[in-house]
């Protein structure tokens, strides 16, 4: 199954299936960095969190770093027949931008999807306003770093992108 039974743990982050116990930490993250919700489909934290807990066709996660909840991400648009999934809806507190948290989070999700679930294809979901506002070039560069790091770790050889 794509849904991990245990947290995905790296050097910087721990990625845990999202649960009620993450509510206050995620609320604090959004209050600290309100720009996170500027381009979301939801009018605020509570509607987003309630929907996230209830959604059954996605696998949402809380991202923890330094002992605190710093953001969220998820698997979505899973196709077990095609062994394909997307990674998206990723956000972290502004204080953690540029820290490596986003890169390591996605690296852990890639590793889990490919090596434990047996994915044949993993896509990154970047759509609409978010794609424009967060800087498409920055996200493409981050994704290149993530893919390169994953390939290098998988093969033991440096990857030239």
């Amino acid at each position: 199954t794509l849904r991990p039974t245990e947290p995905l743990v790296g050097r910087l982050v721990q990625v845990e299936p999202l649960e009620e116990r993450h509510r206050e930490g995620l609320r604090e993250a959004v209050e600290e960095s309100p720009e996170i919700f500027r381009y979301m489909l939801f009018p605020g934290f509570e509607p987003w969190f309630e929907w996230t807990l209830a959604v059954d066709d996605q696998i949402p996660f809380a991202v923890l770093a330094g002992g605190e909840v710093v953001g969220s991400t998820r698997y979505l648009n899973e196709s077990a027949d095609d062994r394909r999934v997307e990674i998206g809806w990723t956000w972290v507190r502004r204080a953690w931008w540029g820290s490596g948290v986003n890169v390591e989070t996605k690296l852990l999700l890639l590793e889990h999807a490919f090596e434990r679930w047996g994915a044949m294809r993993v896509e990154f979901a970047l759509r609409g306003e978010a794609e424009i506002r967060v800087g498409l070039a920055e996200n493409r560069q981050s994704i290149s770093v993530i893919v390169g790091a994953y390939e290098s770790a998988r093969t033991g050889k440096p990857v030239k992108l």
Side-chain angles (χ1 to χ4, degrees):
T1 178
L2 182 59
R3 185 178 302 276
T5 56
E6 297 181 10
L8 308 177
V9 180
R11 284 185 324 103
L12 300 172
V13 301
Q14 182 162 311
V15 181
E16 301 177 351
L18 193 133
E19 299 175 352
E20 178 63 42
R21 66 188 173 89
H22 298 113
R23 182 186 298 260
E24 289 311 310
L26 288 169
R27 182 193 323 276
E28 289 171 14
V30 169
E31 287 172 357
E32 178 184 301
S33 304
E35 65 274 15
I36 290 168
F37 269 77
R38 185 178 306 148
Y39 302 104
M40 292 271 194
L41 300 173
F42 296 89
F45 174 78
E46 283 301 322
W48 171 82
F49 192 82
E50 290 301 324
W51 174 78
T52 296
L53 282 179
V55 71
D56 62 358
D57 62 344
Q58 299 179 10
I59 304 170
F61 298 96
V63 178
L64 288 78
E68 65 178 328
V69 178
V70 300
S72 181
T73 190
R74 68 186 67 211
Y75 287 130
L76 61 151
N77 294 326
E78 172 189 352
S79 172
D81 291 341
D82 297 324
R83 304 307 282 178
R84 182 191 59 78
V85 69
E86 289 182 23
I87 296 171
W89 288 75
T90 304
W91 57 268
V92 296
R93 291 178 192 228
R94 179 178 278 281
W96 290 90
W97 292 5
S99 68
V101 164
N102 184 37
V103 171
E104 188 173 75
T105 296
K106 291 196 173 83
L107 185 60
L108 290 169
L109 291 171
L110 283 169
E111 179 182 61
H112 179 78
F114 282 120
E115 296 181 13
R116 295 189 186 97
W117 184 60
M120 298 300 292
R121 180 177 179 150
V122 177
E123 301 171 6
F124 290 93
L126 260 183
R127 295 189 179 93
E129 288 284 329
E131 184 174 333
I132 295 164
R133 300 294 181 201
V134 298
L136 183 56
E138 287 179 24
N139 278 291
R140 284 190 175 151
Q141 181 179 8
S142 294
I143 290 168
S144 292
V145 168
I146 294 162
V147 171
Y150 175 77
E151 279 299 309
S152 181
R154 189 178 67 77
T155 64
K157 300 176 185 173
V159 174
K160 185 176 178 179
L161 298 173

